[in-house]
Amino acid sequence: SFGQEDGAFERGGIILASVKEQVTILDPQGNPLAAEKVKAGALLTDGHSVETGEGAEAMLLFSNGIVVTVEENTKIKIDSFLQEPFEPGDKKLEDLKEEPSSSSVLVNLEVGSLVVQTKKLNKKSNFEISSPVGTAGIRGTEFKMGIDPKAGIQLDVTESVVAFTPLGATRPLAVGAGQG
């Protein structure tokens, strides 16, 4: 529903920037992509899922500048990625200090670990990672989040603040840099 009332937001783009070892990508209908299509440079959209096995890793580059590293033994689904269209001009993503246009990202982390690096997000933007134990909301930061069915959740913040709302809670907890 984010931004849809004014029609300004469209599906954002995601590039599979790198792949190490065995990575499985599922299309929005849950069908695995052919192995030859799971390679650096492949384009994904919301609805795709990424699964990594032992020793595997995938790096996802979102068109708003967010980089998500899907670590080994992880399952995620990109539930939603909407972004205001923008003209890239001659700017390179690595030169940007903040995202090029407002966006809304929702990633579902079923199990495993993600390392997330974001550009400074616009005021209208949001980036959330939902999990079986709660939701992390991010606004321009670097952090690692992991889910283990036996051990629970691990959230390590490198920079800035992550708002984590435990399942069933009504208000988020602020987790700052150096905290976990």
Side-chain angles (χ1 to χ4, degrees), residues 24-71:
T24 302
I25 306 285
L26 302 175
D27 68 18
Q29 290 73 41
N31 303 309
L33 297 184
E36 64 271 8
K37 291 186 177 184
V38 181
K39 61 183 179 182
L43 296 177
L44 307 176
T45 60
D46 51 9
H48 280 89
S49 297
V50 179
E51 297 180 7
T52 57
E54 191 73 33
E57 182 180 278
M59 184 181 293
L60 306 175
L61 175 59
F62 289 69
S63 57
N64 63 355
I66 293 174
V67 177
V68 175
T69 303
V70 183
E71 296 191 326

Side-chain angles (χ1 to χ4, degrees), residues 36 92 159:
E36 64 271 8
K92 291 188 175 152
E159 188 181 296

Side-chain angles (χ1 to χ4, degrees), residues 58-130:
M59 184 181 293
L60 306 175
L61 175 59
F62 289 69
S63 57
N64 63 355
I66 293 174
V67 177
V68 175
T69 303
V70 183
E71 296 191 326
E72 68 177 347
N73 300 317
T74 298
K75 290 182 181 183
I76 71 161
K77 181 175 183 188
I78 303 156
D79 283 337
S80 174
F81 178 29
L82 298 173
Q83 184 176 12
E84 277 184 322
F86 65 95
E87 287 296 326
D90 58 358
K91 297 178 197 166
K92 291 188 175 152
L93 204 50
E94 62 266 16
D95 298 334
L96 297 176
K97 300 286 185 240
E98 56 187 46
E99 70 176 332
S101 66
S102 296
S103 64
S104 176
V105 182
L106 177 58
V107 174
N108 184 350
L109 173 61
E110 291 180 38
V111 68
S113 298
L114 301 176
V115 176
V116 179
Q117 296 170 295
T118 68
K119 303 290 183 185
K120 184 174 192 285
L121 299 181
N122 293 327
K123 290 188 187 323
K124 294 191 311 183
S125 297
N126 69 312
F127 182 91
E128 294 182 354
I129 298 176
S130 65

